[in-house]
Amino acid sequence: MSFGQLERDGFDTAGSTPMSDINVTPLVDVMLVLLVIFMVTAPLMVSGLKIDLPQAQATAPVKTAGSVSVVLDRELRLFVDERLVPADALERQLTEIARTDPDTEVLLRVDAAVPYGRVAALIGQVQAAGLSRIGFVAEPQDAAPAR
């Protein structure tokens, strides 16, 4: 795009009028960058909403051949398929299960008194072992003990 002439053939004043067009390319570039930034940050702003989660009717989980049960009780003891497992051996045992079948589903049963941070750490251990299919098991709503 030419903004002017480098050489003048004469003293022609009609050819030396200033350019009155606006280059909108930089404006479009900036607007597209801002649009991408807003598209990326908008979902992050939604996470601060306070909501009441609904209570769901829980059904009995179906134990299939491709699933393993992991239980964390009130005393923070871990059980894999109803066998007591030391905390440091859990990830190793789950890694062996993931090595044989990476699509194995983990049925996670956690006592209600267990702190959320410990549950998050347990989920991290399961994912670090290579298992990504995690199901949370709950009691049916009508069978829950009264508090």
Side-chain angles (χ1 to χ4, degrees), residues 53-73:
L53 296 176
Q55 295 181 354
Q57 297 280 333
T59 59
V62 178
K63 182 93 167 110
T64 61
S67 66
V68 62
S69 175
V70 176
V71 178
L72 181 63
D73 69 354

Side-chain angles (χ1 to χ4, degrees), residues 36-108:
V36 168
I37 290 172
F38 286 130
M39 287 172 55
V40 169
T41 58
L44 299 176
M45 294 170 35
V46 173
S47 66
L49 294 175
K50 293 182 180 180
I51 57 173
D52 293 327
L53 296 176
Q55 295 181 354
Q57 297 280 333
T59 59
V62 178
K63 182 93 167 110
T64 61
S67 66
V68 62
S69 175
V70 176
V71 178
L72 181 63
D73 69 354
R74 188 178 297 260
E75 286 83 69
L76 302 180
R77 293 178 300 186
L78 289 165
F79 298 86
V80 175
D81 284 338
E82 307 205 5
R83 285 176 284 151
L84 184 63
V85 175
D88 55 346
L90 175 70
E91 193 170 333
R92 184 173 52 248
Q93 186 171 356
L94 292 177
T95 303
E96 292 173 12
I97 293 171
R99 199 174 300 135
T100 58
D101 184 11
D103 288 330
T104 301
E105 182 178 13
V106 176
L107 299 175
L108 192 60

